[in-house]
Amino acid sequence: MIPTTYFVMLSAVLFTIGVVGVLIRRNALVVFMSIELMLNSANLALVAFAQARQDVGGQVLVFFVIVVAAAEVAVGLALLVAIFHTKRTTNIDEISTLRG
Amino acid sequence: MPQLTWIIALIPFFPLLGFLLNAFLIRNERQAGLVASVMVALSFVVTIASMVILASPLTGQPRLSVMLWEWIRIGSFRVSFGFVFDQLTAVMALLITGVGGLIHVYSISYMRGDIRPVRYFAYLNLFVAAMLILVMADNLLLLFLGWEGVGLCSFLLIGHWFERHSVPPGIVPADAAVKAFVVNRVGDAALLLAMAAIFSRMGSLNFFPNQQLGVPGYLERAGELAFTNLDLGTFGAIGLISAITFLMLIAVTGKSAQVPLYIWLPDAMAGPTPVSALIHAATMVTAGVYLIARNHTLFANAGGTSGWIVAIGLLTAFLAATAAATQWDIKRVLAFSTISQLGYMVVAVGLGGYVAGMFHLLTHGLFKALLFLAAGAIIHGTHESQDMRKMGGLKDTMPTTFRVYLIGALALAGIFPLAGFWSKDEIISHAWFGAQNPGAAILLMLTSGVTAFYVGRQIALVFYGKQRDNTYHAHEPDSTMRNPLLILAGLTIIGGLLNIPGLHFLATYLNPVLEEREVVYDTGRIIGQVALAVVTLAIVGGAGYVGWYLYAKTFVQRIKLGKDDPLVRYLGDLWRGAEIGWGFDWFYQRIVIRPYREVSLFLGDVFDKQGIDGMLVDGPGRLVGRMAQSLRGAQSGFIRSYALMFLVGVVIVLGYFVFRS
Amino acid sequence: MELVVFIITAVIAITGAIAMLLSKNAVHSALFLLLNFAAIAVLYLLLRAPFLFAVQLIVYAGAIIVLFLFVVMLLGAERSEDDHDLLANWQRPLALGLAAALVVEAGYVLFRSRTLAVMSPTSDDLFAEPEKIAAALFTKYLLPFEITGFILLAAVAGVVVLHMQSQQTSSQA
């Protein structure tokens, strides 16, 4: 059996990579993808703990997360499309109306 | 008769009523003048009646008094609003209401067509009321009320034409009014200190004991306190009475325009001429002399102060006379002349000659008012010119005016047998024989010489020669202006009879109040006095003639508008120094006014605007603004920056929990 | 044996993630993400979660990545970012540093904490077979299950509304 710690560590690393992706990349879509990566890493950690505790609830939760993530991706991408209809760019730095 | 003593309250009441009527009800110029004059005339009548009552043997008391109401009661400090009417008051009241009434009538014609005549008459009445309160007050606080009141009215009346930026000879009326008020204030402060000292050490502010109020009078306690001292802590101790009288002296220098606080009087000529006549010749300026006379018991016991009084009086008399000789403006000559003659009065009371001082006060009131009013006639007649270089030859074109002016001028110079001769002579004789101070007497005689000189000069410049400015046609004043002049001239001629040596009516009359030693007329005294009189007459006659001759004959061609006086060539800087009043004004401007202005400007611009406004008021605002501006940088609108901040927070918080163990 | 599989899969996952990060072309990024999702699916298998393995591949790899690719193509976003970075110079190194710190903290927790170390996997391989998941899903977790239905409905509605709005603005423009 592989120690749970390894899985959780892997999850942390993937999460961090996702964070870096959100902060570094300017293409809105790649940022979104990074967010999905972060979600997945969380899922991984959940499944690892579910297996360690022999509790199926963890996996059910992961199932729900996946469902919600799917919904969220749909809506989020629709939003992106709507925004970029007007902005005509995929550079998220251009969306700075929160400025000030 | 005793039941009628309350009528003395009517004396100040009538002019006060006139003020109220003119201030609130009347809008018509003619009505205003009429009401004002009638009120003063009524006051005059009541004054006469009061004098009759006072003199009547049916009245048991030495003075008439009435207490209108209890004014202030704070513990043992009790002051009443009450009047007293004794012989000293009577004499002052006669002068105020009599001459005042004539001036009111004169004003009706003089102020015709003025921009605000109703206000003028209101203030004029208020002034008379305040002055009467001053002389009739039975305590120092009420006197001070009148004192301030005349100061206020002086301010209001000098600044009557406040909208004008300049009147001849170049004074701003509003500034002159403020100057009068502020300079007087210095004196007022001294008087307040004196009152404080009197109340705290002598028990009350009342002149005479008042049963109704339950307060003693302080005047009678002056003798017993003659050797008490006022402890000033580290400054040592000074005689109480000396201190009080010295403070009063300062007040007198302010109100009666002595050195060094006289500077307001020449500028006060910016007011209408009748105002100058009333306030600055006959009444307000005499308040100081009255104050000393009223407090004569104090001054009799104040050793050191008498020396100061005499010194100041002599200095003022002489310096002002020299200044008067150098002026071009007809009213300014009279202004300095007033200052000089006030010096005479101050010297007189300083030497204990209270009767002589009061005598001169009365005669001066008559002939100076006459001179001012006649000058007003001249000013009107020459179409508002006041510079004597524009006059000349008015003897033929304004004969009546010339004659009355001459009477006044000769009285001022002290020519026999006009009133001025007798009163000046009394002072000089008292100085020499009564007070044993020949030095003072000689200085006064010399001053009389200078006086005669400027009188002659003025007569020559105004009336003799040829009219130098031909832009006007000189004309005589109308009857409303002329009649008061004639009355005053008549009084000036016979005024000397009031106190002729030997008969001394005034001295006898005032004796119950002033308690002066009767003059003993032994042979030595008579010869001495006659000799003095003759010498003085000689000096006066000679100087007067020289003054007249120089300006009527010798220099008459060299008098031109804009050019200097011909005597400047011989006297140079002396002349110029006298012309500017020997630099007192200049001194105050440089040493007091300008630094004060600088400090004010500094406090206003730097301290207030930059310091308080800039740092304390705007400062926090700007600080907050700048802080907000810099914090704004964090609101870049970049999502990535915000996310970075999240991460920072997460790492820190997580780190705290992780590494806590 | 499983450890070897784990290591290989983990490496693939991390490589995919980093490649997704560094790729200039958005399409390449999506494909690398797909690789990552696949690796994670395998990891689920290793963790005795067959159901999730399937769901991960169907939903994530099959639907979400496809959606991403559609949008990338639609927006023409596959081009690389040519604008210069508008952020301040210090933000990029700070981000990397903080990320490293995050990893260090996680590592610290995991390898130093005693409670985590105590947890060791036990032996039941079938504790999460589909039947058991279904049982839990339709009994114990029924309410959340129904709610997710609503969530999906909301998502659909939202997408349609957004589409309509963007249609309106583009027809006005």
Side-chain angles (χ1 to χ4, degrees):
Chain A
M1 295 264 86
I2 306 161
T4 319
T5 320
Y6 292 2
F7 280 100
V8 182
M9 192 64 211
L10 175 63
S11 156
V13 171
L14 286 175
F15 183 84
T16 317
I17 296 174
V19 167
V20 171
V22 167
L23 296 176
I24 298 293
R25 293 300 298 260
R26 267 171 286 141
N27 190 328
L29 284 152
V30 176
V31 168
F32 221 147
M33 286 186 232
S34 307
I35 293 173
E36 290 310 312
L37 181 59
M38 291 199 291
L39 268 165
N40 267 283
S41 72
N43 285 348
L44 181 62
L46 269 168
V47 172
F49 282 123
Q51 197 265 352
R53 296 169 117 261
Q54 296 289 292
D55 182 2
V56 84
Q59 297 195 2
V60 170
L61 180 54
V62 170
F63 174 74
F64 288 140
V65 171
I66 291 176
V67 167
V68 172
E72 166 237 329
V73 165
V75 174
L77 285 175
L79 259 174
L80 269 173
V81 167
I83 289 175
F84 291 107
H85 255 320
T86 20
K87 288 284 186 175
R88 301 273 163 218
T89 173
T90 54
N91 186 347
I92 56 165
D93 285 346
E94 302 273 326
I95 313 174
S96 58
T97 41
L98 271 180
R99 190 192 198 89
Chain B
M1 277 300 208
Q3 315 92 283
L4 284 176
T5 53
W6 59 268
I7 65 165
I8 64 173
L10 288 177
I11 301 178
F13 169 75
F14 281 127
L16 200 57
L17 179 65
F19 162 69
L20 290 170
L21 287 173
N22 270 324
F24 296 113
L25 281 179
I26 299 180
R27 294 277 166 263
N28 178 298
E29 174 187 329
R30 265 199 56 201
Q31 285 173 5
L34 216 56
V35 165
S37 309
V38 163
M39 288 300 163
V40 180
L42 286 174
S43 261
F44 182 74
V45 168
V46 177
T47 309
I48 303 277
S50 305
M51 287 174 74
V52 169
I53 298 177
L54 181 66
S56 151
L58 292 176
T59 320
Q61 311 126 6
R63 63 190 71 90
L64 306 175
S65 53
V66 65
M67 181 171 108
L68 290 179
W69 69 83
E70 187 181 27
W71 189 10
I72 300 174
R73 180 198 275 264
I74 306 172
S76 65
F77 183 67
R78 280 178 235 155
V79 172
S80 73
F81 205 100
F83 298 125
V84 77
F85 192 88
D86 61 8
Q87 289 82 354
L88 181 62
T89 309
V91 159
M92 294 291 298
L94 262 185
L95 179 68
I96 297 166
T97 54
V99 175
L102 290 173
I103 293 177
H104 273 77
V105 170
Y106 176 94
S107 297
I108 296 178
S109 170
Y110 191 83
M111 301 299 282
R112 189 164 295 148
D114 188 75
I115 187 169
R116 49 184 80 90
V118 180
R119 189 193 290 210
Y120 169 86
F121 281 108
Y123 290 152
L124 213 62
N125 262 13
L126 183 64
F127 170 83
V128 173
M131 189 71 198
L132 286 169
I133 290 178
L134 196 161
V135 300
M136 289 180 61
D138 74 346
N139 61 76
L140 262 181
L141 195 63
L142 189 58
L143 184 149
F144 190 64
L145 184 112
W147 185 276
E148 293 278 1
V150 295
L152 170 71
C153 294
S154 170
F155 165 81
L156 292 170
L157 284 165
I158 294 173
H160 178 76
W161 292 312
F162 52 79
E163 74 280 3
R164 297 192 191 174
H165 289 296
S166 137
V167 290
I171 312 170
V172 182
D175 289 351
V178 171
K179 190 180 195 174
F181 207 76
V182 170
V183 173
N184 262 266
R185 216 78 196 100
V186 178
D188 298 348
L191 189 53
L192 274 170
L193 286 174
M195 285 201 283
I198 289 177
F199 176 70
S200 65
R201 295 310 165 98
M202 299 179 83
S204 96
L205 288 178
N206 265 53
F207 300 128
F208 312 106
N210 185 330
Q211 249 98 359
Q212 253 183 298
L213 211 54
V215 294
Y218 75 85
L219 285 180
E220 56 202 15
R221 298 193 62 204
E224 72 192 63
L225 288 171
F227 295 104
T228 10
N229 279 341
L230 202 56
D231 191 8
L232 294 176
T234 44
F235 292 109
I238 48 171
L240 174 70
I241 307 285
S242 297
I244 294 176
T245 48
F246 193 77
L247 288 168
M248 282 189 177
L249 173 63
I250 297 177
V252 169
T253 24
K255 194 64 100 194
S256 293
Q258 300 295 292
V259 164
L261 294 175
Y262 73 86
I263 51 168
W264 61 273
L265 207 151
D267 279 7
M269 297 298 114
T273 311
V275 166
S276 306
L278 181 64
I279 295 184
H280 308 124
T283 43
M284 179 176 115
V285 292
T286 54
V289 181
Y290 168 79
L291 183 72
I292 297 183
R294 178 57 79 193
N295 287 283
H296 67 273
T297 55
L298 292 178
F299 283 91
N301 283 296
T305 321
S306 316
W308 279 96
I309 301 178
V310 175
I312 288 178
L314 286 174
L315 193 64
T316 308
F318 188 74
L319 289 183
T322 55
T326 62
Q327 302 299 314
W328 286 121
D329 184 282
I330 189 173
K331 281 172 68 173
R332 231 165 140 82
V333 174
L334 298 176
F336 278 107
S337 170
T338 304
I339 298 173
S340 174
Q341 297 302 305
L342 286 168
Y344 273 82
M345 296 178 223
V346 167
V347 170
V349 296
L351 293 172
Y354 302 104
V355 174
M358 290 302 297
F359 186 28
H360 197 54
L361 191 152
L362 292 171
T363 59
H364 174 265
L366 290 174
F367 63 69
K368 197 41 84 50
L370 170 64
L371 282 171
F372 267 113
L373 293 184
I378 294 172
I379 292 172
H380 260 18
T382 61
H383 284 240
E384 307 309 317
S385 61
Q386 280 182 218
D387 194 319
M388 294 193 288
R389 290 173 287 193
K390 290 203 237 175
M391 300 178 190
L394 296 180
K395 163 165 78 80
D396 306 311
T397 42
M398 298 175 73
T400 321
T401 313
F402 167 65
R403 277 183 221 122
V404 295
Y405 199 94
L406 191 62
I407 293 174
L410 292 176
L412 173 58
I415 305 288
F416 178 91
L418 300 171
F421 164 78
W422 301 104
S423 59
K424 266 202 205 173
D425 204 65
E426 275 293 303
I427 298 179
I428 296 176
S429 310
H430 180 87
W432 191 289
F433 298 109
Q436 308 282 328
N437 193 339
I442 293 177
L443 201 54
L444 285 178
M445 281 162 35
L446 287 173
T447 309
S448 300
V450 181
T451 310
F453 177 81
Y454 70 69
V455 164
R457 174 177 181 266
Q458 185 170 54
I459 297 280
L461 283 173
V462 174
F463 295 108
Y464 283 81
K466 279 193 312 216
Q467 189 170 318
R468 284 180 281 273
D469 183 358
N470 283 309
T471 58
Y472 62 83
H473 248 339
H475 60 87
E476 291 270 37
D478 63 9
S479 56
T480 322
M481 274 168 67
R482 198 173 47 228
N483 292 335
L485 289 174
L486 294 173
I487 297 176
L488 284 171
L491 288 173
T492 309
I493 295 175
I494 61 169
L497 291 173
L498 205 54
N499 206 33
I500 283 194
L503 292 175
H504 275 202
F505 295 120
L506 188 63
T508 324
Y509 188 65
L510 288 177
N511 196 40
V513 183
L514 295 177
E515 300 160 337
E516 243 180 86
R517 260 177 315 159
E518 281 285 348
V519 180
V520 175
Y521 281 109
D522 57 10
T523 339
R525 172 79 188 235
I526 298 180
I527 296 177
Q529 206 159 328
V530 170
L532 270 182
V534 167
V535 171
T536 315
L537 257 183
I539 297 176
V540 162
Y545 184 73
V546 167
W548 173 84
Y549 190 85
L550 280 179
Y551 289 92
K553 302 280 187 236
T554 326
F555 296 139
V556 73
Q557 299 301 324
R558 292 199 249 160
I559 314 286
K560 275 203 187 42
L561 192 61
K563 278 180 76 178
D564 276 335
D565 194 291
L567 279 183
V568 172
R569 198 209 284 184
Y570 307 101
L571 295 172
D573 283 336
L574 271 183
W575 189 271
R576 296 213 190 283
E579 199 172 352
I580 59 165
W582 299 107
F584 281 93
D585 229 343
W586 175 90
F587 179 79
Y588 288 129
Q589 283 291 327
R590 290 293 303 274
I591 307 298
V592 178
I593 307 288
R594 224 197 283 168
Y596 184 77
R597 270 226 182 98
E598 296 296 319
V599 171
S600 303
L601 280 174
F602 172 76
L603 285 177
D605 278 342
V606 177
F607 191 70
D608 195 29
K609 240 195 246 168
Q610 292 178 17
I612 295 181
D613 271 358
M615 287 202 315
L616 297 181
V617 174
D618 287 350
R622 272 199 313 257
L623 184 66
V624 170
R626 262 184 270 146
M627 272 181 12
Q629 195 72 12
S630 56
L631 285 175
R632 242 179 135 199
Q635 304 293 323
S636 59
F638 295 139
I639 306 168
R640 293 195 289 153
S641 301
Y642 297 163
L644 183 59
M645 291 307 135
F646 288 174
L647 186 58
V648 169
V650 165
V651 169
I652 290 174
V653 172
L654 212 51
Y656 168 70
F657 283 114
V658 163
F659 295 111
R660 194 156 55 140
S661 51
Chain C
M1 186 54 208
E2 282 191 14
L3 193 58
V4 173
V5 175
F6 169 75
I7 290 175
I8 295 173
T9 322
V11 167
I12 294 175
I14 293 178
T15 315
I18 293 178
M20 176 210 85
L21 197 60
L22 296 177
S23 174
K24 295 266 183 270
N25 189 323
V27 175
H28 295 174
S29 294
L31 293 174
F32 280 120
L33 190 62
L34 175 63
L35 180 63
N36 185 69
F37 286 166
I40 289 183
V42 171
L43 287 170
Y44 286 164
L45 264 185
L46 278 174
L47 283 170
R48 316 294 190 262
F51 178 66
L52 285 180
F53 158 77
V55 168
Q56 170 89 352
L57 284 177
I58 294 168
V59 174
Y60 257 111
I64 289 179
I65 293 291
V66 170
L67 203 50
F68 267 113
L69 282 169
F70 276 171
V71 176
V72 167
M73 306 290 186
L74 181 66
L75 297 183
E78 69 271 16
R79 280 176 280 110
S80 65
E81 300 148 17
D82 37 12
D83 324 278
H84 58 92
D85 202 334
L86 289 173
L87 284 184
N89 282 338
W90 48 272
Q91 290 199 0
R92 191 183 263 245
L94 179 65
L96 294 171
L98 286 172
L102 200 56
V103 172
V104 165
E105 280 171 8
Y108 186 82
V109 167
L110 289 168
F111 292 103
R112 301 271 284 178
S113 154
R114 262 167 293 154
T115 38
L116 266 186
V118 163
M119 281 169 83
S120 52
T122 49
S123 56
D124 189 356
D125 285 347
L126 292 176
F127 79 97
E129 60 180 345
E131 287 94 337
K132 298 223 177 62
I133 297 222
L137 201 55
F138 290 111
T139 54
K140 195 169 167 199
Y141 300 108
L142 184 58
L143 184 59
F145 178 74
E146 296 299 330
I147 292 176
T148 49
F150 281 111
I151 290 175
L152 288 169
L153 179 63
V156 169
V159 170
V160 170
V161 165
L162 279 169
H163 173 66
M164 283 191 334
Q165 278 188 348
S166 72
Q167 261 207 333
Q168 273 178 355
T169 44
S170 64
S171 60
Q172 280 168 5

